[in-house]
Amino acid sequence: MFEKYLGSFCEIKSAATFEKICIGYITDVDENSISLDSAVYFSNSVMPLEFDSIITVLGKIQGLQVFKTHVIFDASRKHILLGDLDRIVDADRRCDTRISSDILTLVTISDEPRVAYDGVIKDISLCGISLWVGKALAIDEIITIQFPMTFDVANTHFCNCRIVRFINAANNNLRKYGCEFVDLKPENRAAIQSFVNKERAKLMKQRFSW
């Protein structure tokens, strides 16, 4: 998995104490290990050689990702063996106001660029969406969604999203995913912000109307 994060900033903490152990940049990856360049170590005591850790990775393409795993440092303290990765996902990690919606969308994936799957955006914010779609998708997979922000079909927006988590399945055909936007274009961001602001205003008006 970490081959996607070559060149990314990496921070390793103790899962038990949350003490920062080291930071660096991922320069080499194989099946179950990574190597760090420009590594800085923060442990005030003897460097632990094996421990449960929280690994935070920040990259230009993949964004911020957090994993929990068991790690083993080798003697050089640059090569790090990894156990099974468990992605840490906070259910409320999406930033900004999240607005419930039922926006119809078409979903395409890179493996099937000419096939569009029907979907429904169940809520939306400037950071991402929750999506119902009749297609099994993989965590970290990048999809393209196209959807209107108004009833004007000519006002269709195309956005790339990364699948962050699988939420649940409504039935044998529909699955719900949490997605985050990737490289959101200014015009798309402005349209989503406008939609969110209008829906917030409606909710506030309903809440405080007599």
Side-chain angles (χ1 to χ4, degrees), residues 179-196:
C179 313
E180 62 182 2
F181 289 122
V182 177
D183 297 329
L184 197 61
K185 295 180 180 178
E187 59 269 26
N188 295 333
R189 178 178 292 275
I192 294 170
Q193 183 69 75
S194 177
F195 174 81
V196 168

Side-chain angles (χ1 to χ4, degrees), residues 103-121 131-137 141 143-147 173-175 177:
I103 303 171
L104 299 179
T105 182
L106 292 177
V107 179
T108 56
I109 60 177
S110 58
D111 291 342
E112 301 174 280
R114 297 185 180 182
V115 179
Y117 296 92
D118 292 328
V120 181
I121 297 172
L131 173 71
W132 283 111
V133 63
K135 170 68 176 175
L137 300 169
E141 186 168 7
I143 63 173
T144 300
I145 58 173
Q146 49 180 300
F147 59 96
N173 296 318
L174 290 178
R175 297 170 173 84
Y177 297 92

Side-chain angles (χ1 to χ4, degrees), residues 35-104:
S35 295
L36 298 182
D37 189 26
S38 303
V40 178
Y41 297 91
F42 297 92
S43 180
N44 294 322
S45 57
V46 177
M47 174 65 67
L49 297 181
E50 184 173 351
F51 59 98
D52 290 330
S53 70
I54 295 174
I55 300 180
T56 301
V57 182
L58 180 62
K60 293 181 178 180
I61 297 176
Q62 298 295 325
L64 179 69
Q65 302 290 327
V66 183
F67 305 90
K68 186 174 182 180
T69 187
H70 190 78
V71 303
I72 301 174
F73 278 82
D74 72 359
S76 70
R77 294 185 178 179
K78 291 185 179 181
H79 195 65
I80 304 165
L81 296 174
L82 305 174
D84 293 334
L85 293 171
D86 181 19
R87 184 188 301 275
I88 298 175
V89 177
D90 180 352
D92 296 319
R93 70 190 291 272
R94 253 205 277 150
C95 61
D96 296 313
T97 302
R98 189 183 309 188
I99 295 296
S100 296
S101 63
D102 283 296
I103 303 171
L104 299 179

